[in-house]
Amino acid sequence: MMSKETKSEIIAKYGKSATDTGSPRVQVALLTTRIKELTEHLKTNKNDNHSRRGLYMMVGKRTGLLEYIKKNDIEEYRSLIKELGIRK
């Protein structure tokens, strides 16, 4: 579970303002953080298939948001991929 402090730091770093939680850039950053946390959880709990399904759903949502960003602004897409360390 992501703490409030971590979430507000991510929003401040990737958002246009401190309250910008809806932009695709912020959503991708938040999803990436949650995906990394859930991946660590699944390394120790290999049979947790319910969480694995949630992970797959988050990855799918992030992929859709990244496609949207790529379609609208390719340079923003490239910089975001590089900052977050997402391989494409």
Side-chain angles (χ1 to χ4, degrees):
M1 186 84 185
M2 193 181 332
S3 67
K4 281 186 173 183
E5 294 82 22
T6 307
K7 191 171 184 176
S8 61
E9 287 173 11
I10 292 170
I11 292 169
K13 183 176 180 183
Y14 293 100
K16 295 178 177 117
S17 68
T19 59
D20 179 24
T21 58
S23 69
R25 185 175 173 92
V26 174
Q27 290 181 31
V28 168
L30 289 172
L31 279 171
T32 300
T33 306
R34 289 181 61 202
I35 287 169
K36 287 179 183 177
E37 289 175 357
L38 198 51
T39 302
E40 291 302 315
H41 167 76
L42 289 172
K43 284 180 182 176
T44 57
N45 301 289
K46 297 187 187 312
N47 294 327
D48 190 356
N49 292 319
H50 290 78
S51 294
R52 191 174 312 280
R53 180 177 186 268
L55 173 69
Y56 290 153
M57 290 171 57
M58 282 189 266
V59 169
K61 184 177 270 193
R62 182 179 72 177
T63 303
L65 288 167
L66 285 170
E67 288 298 319
Y68 173 79
I69 294 171
K70 186 177 181 181
K71 182 176 72 173
N72 290 324
D73 188 4
I74 190 73
E75 291 304 319
E76 181 182 354
Y77 170 78
R78 289 179 181 149
S79 69
L80 187 61
I81 292 292
K82 186 178 249 185
E83 285 178 38
L84 294 174
I86 300 171
R87 54 189 170 99
K88 276 286 176 181

